[in-house]
Amino acid sequence: MHDRWQECTELISTKLSEQAFRTWIKPLVFLGFDPKDRVVRLGAPTQIKADVARKQYLRLISRSLQQHFDPDVSVHFEVLREGTDAADRADSSSDDGVGAPADD
């Protein structure tokens, strides 16, 4: 599933300036895909990055995800906890690609 997110980011990178991509999309981390609810969970290193991604790039991200995951997919943004390695969070997803529940 992580490979699909990589394909999505490659597609998104062709639609944005290099600076916009590096600043707002590249920091996002694939956390999991819930096929039952058709939700892709993406983690952002800060609340600001999550907010900007949601407000300014959600349509672009959604279109890419719809091509690579499911036509009816939705996106859920989470802020990664400080001190949590993004790779560790992504690896905590179960084998079927469904991520662990979000910590609130």
Side-chain angles (χ1 to χ4, degrees):
M1 292 290 179
H2 183 60
D3 292 342
R4 288 187 188 179
W5 171 242
Q6 289 302 113
E7 293 170 10
C8 290
T9 59
E10 288 173 16
L11 177 63
I12 293 168
S13 73
T14 66
K15 311 263 186 218
L16 297 175
S17 71
E18 184 178 340
Q19 182 177 356
F21 177 78
R22 277 188 290 129
T23 303
W24 306 112
I25 305 301
K26 190 171 182 178
L28 299 177
V29 177
F30 175 81
L31 298 176
F33 174 61
D34 181 346
K36 179 184 172 197
D37 293 329
R38 297 180 171 147
V39 174
V40 169
R41 294 174 44 240
L42 298 177
T46 66
Q47 186 66 53
I48 291 171
K49 289 195 186 283
D51 290 344
V52 171
R54 184 182 305 109
K55 291 176 184 173
Q56 293 187 17
Y57 300 107
L58 179 60
R59 177 179 248 163
L60 180 61
I61 292 168
S62 294
R63 284 182 183 161
S64 179
L65 289 169
Q66 288 165 353
Q67 290 177 15
H68 290 87
F69 282 89
D70 183 301
D72 297 320
V73 74
S74 62
V75 182
H76 175 77
F77 292 95
E78 301 176 25
V79 178
L80 299 171
R81 288 182 286 167
E82 188 174 330
T84 302
D85 185 297
D88 291 342
R89 287 290 301 260
D91 289 342
S92 71
S93 298
S94 64
D95 291 336
D96 62 2
V98 179
D103 297 324
D104 289 336

